[in-house]
Amino acid sequence: MVSVRKGLLQFLFAGSFMKRWNDKHRSMDLVEVDKQAHKMMVAWMLYELNSEGLAEAEKLALGLEIVEGGLFEYLYRLVITDIKPPVFYKIKANPAHYRQLTDWVLDQLEPRVRELGDGFWQRLTAYLAVPEGDSPARRILDAAHLYASGWEYSLIKRDNPWDDELLDIESSFTGGLARFADLRGVTDLADGLFAGRKTPLGHFGRLLGQLRFQTRWSQTPRIPETSVLGHMFLVAAYGYFFSLAVGACPARRLNNFFAGLVHDMPELLTRDIISPVKQSVSTLGDMIKEYEERELERRVFSVLKRGGYAGLAERLSYLLGMEVGSEFYESIRDETGKASRVTPADLDGRCNLDAFDPKDGELLKVCDSLAAFIEAYTALRNGITSDQLQQAVWRLRNKYSPVVLFGRVHIGALLADFD
């Protein structure tokens, strides 16, 4: 039986503390969970673009390998923490050293992830046993990693003019991405990042990266501060693990991860508006949603469509729940691609099949709230006294104390583990 525990949720959140580029001068903190979010968003783009024409079963298998590979790499990174990349690359180049390090990493991970099931553990150990690979999934993840890290580099480049490592660092990104030029979308992304060209995917990739500038709970002091970008990754990871726990079919697991990964993307246009503000005026929520949809069409969907990426825009629209009215509504698609809303009971029953392309709503909303709970809970445990944080913890505990997802995952019991 698959179980999601407090320790795993908190461990995933630990990436909010992990500083990146901390041997360089930075105008803002860059943290691991933000980088992972950006990486997996780019991996989603490359997956959609490079799986066109594949049989459905083959496409689904590739998507799951990308998602789980990204999660495995993040878990590994959380354990090894601050090993500088050139040092880690040397370790990877020595099979004996890499095996010793990985055995130790697996020892640290096992108590946290083993309850996700033997299958997940076996896939994790098999993936981490091989330091590098040339499978389509690994290549997509490697290209996405280089893009996301290169995007961070572009933020600090001007702040470190004296640093004699910069030229080597930049060439590692440009040269690295050049190795993946055969993947559709990589050249478009790279040109938008390093060549300064205005490309559709480059525009989209930059917009997604900007979500790291948007701080959640912006009027409430917290340790650590978290961004909208990092929050989206946490919701995606929680969504995937809860999908395993409720017995979701493979397509549903995949959709839940990617839907969680983009669910707050409209906040590019409105910023992070907290629920009490949205609920303070009866029509405010509808007004905000109307504005978000109009701006999404203008700044994202239309740009992708004009640039030849209509399929990507359509897929993003489905993940955001545009046709059914909310990203937090259960939905399926028919053979023509038309989306429709279904009940949670139908999603867990007759529609829990890959052919329906199912996507959860309530489950993702629970994961969204759990991520907010952990942000508030952690800040309080770190000594921040705030009425807003205390009220949020109290409100979420009360709201979810009776909730049991599909009769399998008791959210109240999970929250009760947080003292």
Side-chain angles (χ1 to χ4, degrees):
M1 180 178 177
V2 174
S3 176
V4 179
R5 302 292 298 274
K6 165 191 172 184
L8 176 60
L9 300 182
Q10 289 185 305
F11 186 58
L12 292 167
F13 183 72
S16 302
F17 292 96
M18 287 180 60
K19 303 292 192 295
R20 293 177 53 79
W21 301 92
N22 59 7
D23 59 343
K24 309 296 181 189
H25 175 59
R26 293 151 291 151
S27 57
M28 64 174 289
D29 279 336
L30 303 173
V31 296
E32 187 65 31
V33 72
D34 292 350
K35 182 277 175 96
Q36 294 294 329
H38 203 187
K39 166 187 168 180
M40 293 309 292
M41 287 170 169
V42 173
W44 168 73
M45 285 191 271
L46 297 178
Y47 161 64
E48 292 292 343
L49 294 175
N50 289 278
S51 61
E52 293 179 1
L54 294 180
E56 285 302 315
E58 190 177 358
K59 178 176 180 176
L60 181 56
L62 174 61
L64 290 171
E65 189 178 349
I66 290 169
V67 167
E68 290 201 337
L71 290 170
F72 299 157
E73 290 172 5
Y74 178 56
L75 292 168
Y76 196 105
R77 180 67 177 165
L78 287 174
V79 175
I80 66 171
T81 63
D82 198 29
I83 296 179
K84 196 168 182 176
V87 176
F88 182 57
Y89 296 150
K90 289 180 180 179
I91 293 173
K92 289 174 72 174
N94 185 309
H97 292 171
Y98 178 77
R99 185 168 57 252
Q100 290 172 4
L101 178 62
T102 300
D103 287 344
W104 176 76
V105 168
L106 290 172
D107 286 342
Q108 306 307 304
L109 288 178
E110 185 169 12
R112 296 179 171 97
V113 306
R114 193 58 188 263
E115 291 200 28
L116 292 173
D118 289 340
F120 184 86
W121 176 251
Q122 290 164 6
R123 294 191 298 274
L124 169 67
T125 54
Y127 187 94
L128 296 183
V130 181
E132 294 178 340
D134 201 38
S135 69
R138 290 241 190 187
R139 297 190 75 234
I140 285 172
L141 286 169
D142 287 346
H145 155 72
L146 286 168
Y147 176 85
S149 295
W151 196 91
E152 289 180 325
Y153 167 77
S154 71
L155 296 180
I156 67 169
K157 178 179 179 180
R158 294 181 181 177
D159 293 335
N160 295 270
W162 56 81
D163 196 319
D164 58 7
E165 287 186 317
L166 289 188
L167 287 177
D168 288 340
I169 291 172
E170 183 163 343
S171 65
S172 72
F173 292 135
T174 55
L177 283 170
R179 298 199 312 271
F180 301 104
D182 59 303
L183 292 175
R184 185 186 175 200
V186 166
T187 299
D188 202 344
L189 284 164
D191 285 350
L193 180 60
F194 294 112
R197 298 193 182 101
K198 293 184 178 180
T199 64
L201 287 188
H203 169 77
F204 189 38
R206 285 196 306 273
L207 280 179
L208 294 172
Q210 287 170 212
L211 283 164
R212 76 167 65 226
F213 302 147
Q214 294 193 24
T215 304
R216 285 173 54 78
W217 312 75
S218 59
Q219 297 183 21
T220 304
R222 288 178 303 118
I223 298 175
E225 290 190 340
T226 52
S227 73
V228 171
L229 185 63
H231 167 79
M232 290 159 69
F233 178 79
L234 289 175
V235 174
Y238 293 175
Y240 190 79
F241 294 138
F242 278 113
S243 297
L244 290 173
V246 302
C249 70
R252 186 174 156 202
R253 298 202 308 264
L254 188 67
N255 287 340
N256 286 347
F257 180 86
F258 287 135
L261 194 62
V262 300
H263 78 280
D264 274 342
M265 202 189 78
E267 292 184 9
L268 276 167
L269 316 170
T270 61
R271 299 187 185 174
D272 182 33
I273 302 172
I274 61 175
S275 296
V277 173
K278 290 180 181 177
Q279 297 164 5
S280 62
V281 180
S282 60
T283 59
L284 183 58
D286 292 336
M287 290 166 54
I288 292 169
K289 188 168 187 61
E290 181 182 348
Y291 173 75
E292 287 176 345
E293 291 180 358
R294 185 169 63 247
E295 288 298 285
L296 276 171
E297 178 60 36
R298 184 177 70 87
R299 298 184 60 190
V300 177
F301 296 138
S302 64
V303 174
L304 290 173
K305 291 171 185 175
R306 288 197 304 269
Y309 300 109
L312 197 62
E314 291 168 5
R315 192 62 188 169
L316 180 60
S317 177
Y318 178 66
L319 294 174
L320 289 172
M322 303 292 285
E323 288 183 73
V324 297
S326 172
E327 69 274 29
F328 296 131
Y329 289 159
E330 285 76 12
S331 59
I332 61 171
R333 295 199 310 161
D334 62 23
E335 61 276 5
T336 68
K338 180 177 174 55
S340 59
R341 186 178 175 184
V342 296
T343 66
D346 279 341
L347 188 77
D348 192 47
R350 67 177 182 85
C351 297
N352 190 28
L353 298 170
D354 295 339
F356 285 104
D357 197 19
K359 182 179 75 68
D360 275 89
E362 180 188 5
L363 182 147
L364 287 175
K365 182 59 179 176
V366 168
C367 293
D368 185 42
S369 297
L370 278 174
F373 175 88
I374 289 175
E375 289 170 344
Y377 174 87
T378 304
L380 290 169
R381 289 297 298 266
N382 286 330
I384 302 298
T385 302
S386 164
D387 289 343
Q388 187 176 358
L389 294 174
Q390 291 172 341
Q391 289 167 9
V393 167
W394 177 85
R395 184 176 65 252
L396 291 168
R397 280 189 192 275
N398 282 313
K399 178 178 180 180
Y400 289 104
S401 62
V403 172
V404 181
L405 287 174
F406 302 107
R408 298 180 183 89
V409 180
H410 198 303
I411 303 303
L414 178 59
L415 290 175
D417 286 339
F418 291 83
D419 54 16

